[in-house]
Coordinates of all heavy atoms in Angstrom, one line a residue:
K7 N -14.4 15.0 23.9 CA -15.3 14.9 25.0 C -15.1 13.5 25.7 O -15.0 13.4 26.9 CB -16.8 15.0 24.6 CG -17.7 14.9 25.8 CD -19.2 15.0 25.3 CE -20.2 14.8 26.5 NZ -21.6 14.9 26.0
Q8 N -15.0 12.4 24.9 CA -14.8 11.1 25.5 C -13.4 11.0 26.2 O -13.3 10.4 27.2 CB -14.8 10.0 24.3 CG -16.2 10.0 23.6 CD -17.4 9.9 24.5 OE1 -17.4 9.0 25.4 NE2 -18.3 10.8 24.3
L9 N -12.4 11.6 25.6 CA -11.1 11.5 26.2 C -11.0 12.3 27.6 O -10.1 12.0 28.3 CB -10.0 12.0 25.2 CG -9.8 11.1 24.0 CD1 -8.8 11.8 23.0 CD2 -9.2 9.8 24.5
K10 N -11.9 13.2 27.8 CA -11.9 13.9 29.0 C -12.6 13.1 30.1 O -12.4 13.4 31.3 CB -12.7 15.2 28.9 CG -12.0 16.3 28.1 CD -12.8 17.6 27.9 CE -12.0 18.6 27.1 NZ -12.8 19.8 26.9
H11 N -13.3 12.1 29.7 CA -14.0 11.2 30.7 C -12.9 10.4 31.5 O -12.0 9.8 30.9 CB -14.9 10.2 30.0 CG -15.9 9.5 30.9 ND1 -15.5 8.4 31.6 CD2 -17.1 9.8 31.3 CE1 -16.5 8.0 32.3 NE2 -17.5 8.8 32.2
R12 N -13.1 10.4 32.8 CA -12.0 9.7 33.7 C -11.8 8.3 33.3 O -10.7 7.8 33.2 CB -12.5 9.8 35.1 CG -11.5 9.3 36.1 CD -12.0 9.3 37.5 NE -11.1 8.6 38.4 CZ -11.5 8.1 39.6 NH1 -12.8 8.2 40.0 NH2 -10.6 7.6 40.4
F13 N -12.9 7.5 33.1 CA -12.8 6.1 32.8 C -12.1 5.9 31.4 O -11.2 5.1 31.3 CB -14.2 5.5 32.7 CG -14.2 4.0 32.3 CD1 -13.9 3.0 33.2 CD2 -14.5 3.6 31.0 CE1 -13.8 1.7 32.9 CE2 -14.4 2.3 30.6 CZ -14.1 1.3 31.6
I14 N -12.5 6.7 30.4 CA -12.0 6.5 29.1 C -10.5 6.9 29.1 O -9.7 6.3 28.4 CB -12.7 7.4 28.1 CG1 -14.1 6.8 27.9 CG2 -12.0 7.4 26.7 CD1 -14.2 5.4 27.2
R15 N -10.2 8.0 29.8 CA -8.8 8.4 29.9 C -7.9 7.3 30.5 O -6.8 7.0 30.0 CB -8.7 9.7 30.7 CG -7.3 10.4 30.6 CD -7.4 11.8 31.2 NE -7.7 11.8 32.7 CZ -8.9 12.2 33.2 NH1 -9.8 12.7 32.4 NH2 -9.1 12.2 34.5
A16 N -8.3 6.7 31.6 CA -7.5 5.7 32.2 C -7.5 4.4 31.3 O -6.4 3.8 31.2 CB -8.1 5.3 33.6
L17 N -8.6 4.1 30.7 CA -8.7 3.0 29.8 C -7.7 3.1 28.7 O -7.1 2.2 28.3 CB -10.1 2.8 29.3 CG -10.4 1.6 28.3 CD1 -10.0 0.3 29.0 CD2 -11.8 1.6 27.9
S18 N -7.7 4.3 28.1 CA -6.8 4.6 26.9 C -5.4 4.3 27.3 O -4.6 3.9 26.4 CB -7.0 6.0 26.4 OG -6.6 7.0 27.4
V19 N -5.0 4.6 28.5 CA -3.6 4.4 28.9 C -3.2 2.9 28.9 O -2.2 2.5 28.4 CB -3.3 5.0 30.3 CG1 -1.9 4.6 30.8 CG2 -3.5 6.5 30.3
L20 N -4.1 2.1 29.5 CA -3.9 0.7 29.5 C -4.0 0.0 28.1 O -3.3 -0.9 27.8 CB -4.9 0.0 30.5 CG -4.7 0.1 32.0 CD1 -5.7 -0.7 32.8 CD2 -3.3 -0.4 32.3
V21 N -5.0 0.5 27.3 CA -5.1 0.0 26.0 C -3.9 0.3 25.2 O -3.5 -0.6 24.4 CB -6.4 0.6 25.3 CG1 -6.4 0.3 23.8 CG2 -7.7 0.0 26.0
A22 N -3.3 1.4 25.3 CA -2.1 1.8 24.5 C -1.0 0.8 24.9 O -0.3 0.3 23.9 CB -1.7 3.2 24.9
G23 N -0.8 0.5 26.1 CA 0.2 -0.4 26.5 C -0.1 -1.8 26.0 O 0.8 -2.6 25.6

Side-chain angles (χ1 to χ4, degrees):
K7 181 181 177 182
Q8 299 308 309
L9 289 173
K10 289 179 181 178
H11 192 276
R12 183 188 174 200
F13 176 82
I14 291 295
R15 191 168 62 249
L17 177 61
S18 64
V19 174
L20 282 183
V21 167

